[in-house]
Each structure stands twice: as C-alpha cells, then as structure tokens.
Amino acid sequence: MPESHYPEIRALNLFEGMDETHFQSLMRGAYVQNFPPQIELIGEGEPSDFLHVVLSGSVDLFSSWNGRETSLATVRPISTFILAATIRNAPYLMSARTLEKSRIVLIPSQDVRAIFDVDSNFARAIVAELAQCYRAVIKSQKDLKLRTSLERLANYLLRQQKRAGGGAAFELDFEKRRLASVLGMTPENLSRAFKGLQPYGLIVDGIRVSIGNQAELEKFAKPNPLIDDFTL
Amino acid sequence: MPESHYPEIRALNLFEGMDETHFQSLMRGAYVQNFPPQIELIGEGEPSDFLHVVLSGSVDLFSSWNGRETSLATVRPISTFILAATIRNAPYLMSARTLEKSRIVLIPSQDVRAIFDVDSNFARAIVAELAQCYRAVIKSQKDLKLRTSLERLANYLLRQQKRAGGGAAFELDFEKRRLASVLGMTPENLSRAFKGLQPYGLIVDGIRVSIGNQAELEKFAKPNPLIDDFTL
DNA sequence: CAAGCCGCTTGATTTTTGTCAAGCCAGCAA
DNA sequence: TTGCTGGCTTGACAAAAATCAAGCGGCTTG
C-alpha cells in the first residue's frame, strides 16, 4: 500500500494509540483498492478475511432474507467496518456495496487479530470502537421499535439538520430509496411520510429539505438523546 | 461480597483469563444484592455506576419513549449486562428490572475501567464479549426489519425449541406479554400469531408449546443462521 | 367460598404500512 | 431533438398491525 495513506489511517481512533511497529506491520499486509459504484465488496455469510477502511466514497451495509433486503448502515470516510466479524473470526452478518466510486483499504483479518493479541493499546481502542458500535445499534433498535415511520423520518431529519450545521435548509445525504430502507419502510411510504410532515412546515424539493416550523416539528418528533444523539 | 460467589463469577468468559490479583481487587469493591421481582434496577439515562452480573433470577432490559415501552433483551444467569455503557462511561441506554427474585452482583464501573486499563487479558475478554453482543443486536435488527411478526414468532419458536433440547414439545421461557414486546408486537397480535401458525401444526396450551409439523413450520419460517444462530 | 385481579384471548374497528400499477420528470445517449 | 432510463410520486387497493372493548379463566386474597 502506498505510504501516502498511512497518516489518515493512523489518525483513526482505532489505530492512533498503537505501537508504531505494529501499525507498520498491519500496513505491510494491507492494500488499497479503488472500486466503481454499486460493487458488492462482501456478502453476508462469507468468512471475514479483511477489515475494511473507507478512505473515500461511501459504502452501504445491507442484508437480505427471503427475497427482501434492508439497509442497516452507511459507512463514510474515514472509518472501518465489519470489525466485530474480524475480531471474532466469524462470518459477516451483512453484505457491503459501494454507493459511489470508493477507495478502500483491506487489512487481512488474521493480521488484525495477531496485533490485537500483542498490542494492548490496540485492543483497548477496539473495545472503545465496539462499545460505540454496539450502542449505535441499540439506539437504532429503539428508534425502530418505539417509533412509527413518520416519527422516524421526523427525527432523522432533525439529526441530519444538526449534522448539516443546524440551518433551516439542508440536503439529504441519501438517495431516497435507500433512506427509506434505512428507516425501515418502502420508498412509496417515505414519499407519503414527507407529505405527512407538511403540517410541520416541511418542504422537500428533490434532495433539498427545509424546515419551516422548527418548534412544531420538534414537538412532534420528540427527539431524545438516548436515541438520537450518536455521540453519546 | 461473600467469597462463595467468586468461583461462579470467575468462570464467566469475561473474567476467566484475567490476573488473580485484579480479579480479587474487582471483587473487593463489589457487592451482592437480592432483589424482589419487578424492581427497577437501573433507568435509562442514568450514569453507569455499576457493571451488573446476574447470579440467579432474570432481568429484563427495556426502553421507553413517548409513553411506549419495548423489551430489548432478557438477561439470564450467569451473565453481565450494560458492559458497553460501563466501558464508555456513558449513560445507560436501557432500563433494567428484575423479572423474578434475583441475586445480582454490582461491580463499580470505575473499578472495571481501571482494571481494563491494566489487565490486557481482561481487555481482550471484553472485546470478545462486546463483539458478541454487537452481533447479537445486528441479528435482532435483521429479524425485525426483514420479517413479519408471524415469521418472527415462527423463528423464535424454532430457536426456543432447539434451546430446550429439540423435542416437539417445549415451554416458553417468557411471559407472553413480554415475548410480544421482545418480538416487537402487541400481546393481542401475538395471540393471533399463535393461531396463525396452527396450519403448521402448532399447539399452544398456556406456556406449553408443541410443534406438530416440524418440516412445514421450518419451510414457512426459513430460519437462517445469520439471523437465528446466536452462537455465530 | 366469593371477590377481585391479572394475563390472555377474541371480535370489531381503525390505523399503519405494503403492494401494484401508472404516470411524471430529470438526465442521458443516440 | 427524440426516446430511453431510473428514481420518484400518486392513487387505489390489500395486508399487517394496533387499538378498543369485552369476556374468560386461573390465581390469590380476604
């Protein structure tokens, strides 16, 4: 792998505290690859041969069963995915595909496990990362089980608004069909859900969204840090 | 804490590889308490002061929002809960209540974090545990998003049957109302779902269940190890 | 024993969500 | 330009699930 990528990878929480020798050793076995959009990187059920790091572009994690499919998460630069499978040396639970042209680092799982065994700073960083991921999924579970689709959309919009800087107008960072899947509904229903939020001053034009009545929307959405605050 | 409990706690995956001195030090700060049924042990949002270990009885992990409530998991002996919150020193995301008379060990979170920093075997065990928990929630997420309530019930029954030994007849280990909540439906709907499985030879009498036509039920449920195998 | 409670079930109804079919429209290529 | 394509929207309908109300039956308690 070209050394030019080292600093950005090294800067990740996961790698920043580890021994330099160990980091070099991990990087020696790793390689970077460029993928076009819509390429399936891994399939659920396959053995976890590589820990992946997204350097640029974005990756969709999804799963299928009985002819149905659902998006579980989107990975954006710079972060890793399928850490848990790598650590447990267990099959992937999700498939992954590129959403756009993406540059991805592949680090052999056995190297990760080997370094994990000898570098306790790395092990600790992995703990922090896994605990974070675990809590994120729990929040998502609560979102799904406690809220209707309209409420999920409203809260998603409020979160996205905050991420985009907090202004009344902002842009969706998903294709709508995939947003629907992430939120656990059909595209048709998402369309109707957007209309259902019009009474709260919501205006949607393609990818652009604007919240006309912030107070009313929040009153309806009832955002809760224990579900919606992803830093917690 | 009475030393008589040490061996059973020590035997947990989480603690078995750690240094004896560190284990003793953890146990010194810990204490055991007996709780009656239906006692709320922790509330979501509270700071994570203790790592909990269930020695006997059982504990329901649940969450509320906007007047609704849902069960997210049940903890049975002998295992720990709210490890992730303890590690991240973050507020609990779920509340916990005893389902029956339960004996529970409370280990101060700061002790856990301190030992975690100095005992790398302990840190590694925590990684394994967290990765396992993470994967369990992902499976549950897939179950919720990809299956109808009837399918979820059918697969739950098949899992439970396997846990109970694999015979055609077995018992539910949940109160039905809580099973409904775990499966993400109302008690009324669970009742109807049981009836909906009659064509597959299902007979339910109170807590006792018997599967008349195993092959047909499996054909309907389409169990998948990447969702239903909790050892994976 | 009777009364009352609680969990479970059932039926009727409403709400929510998904499905199917059709049409719209921006973007793109010939 | 024309004619695609694919994502999005819309309407009509069907299915799934929640809600409301009532009743059943086992259990405890006075």
Side-chain angles (χ1 to χ4, degrees), chain B residues 10 48 61 75 88 95 100 124 130 132 146 150 194 198-199 210 226:
Chain B
R10 185 65 151 146
S48 50
L61 300 182
V75 189
R88 290 198 71 87
S95 303
E100 38 188 325
R124 277 187 270 277
L130 282 176
Q132 157 97 324
L146 290 168
L150 203 58
F194 273 122
Q198 280 176 4
S210 127
L226 298 176

Side-chain angles (χ1 to χ4, degrees), chain A residues 120-132:
Chain A
S120 40
N121 283 323
F122 186 44
R124 275 188 270 276
I126 289 178
V127 165
E129 179 95 356
L130 283 174
Q132 157 98 324

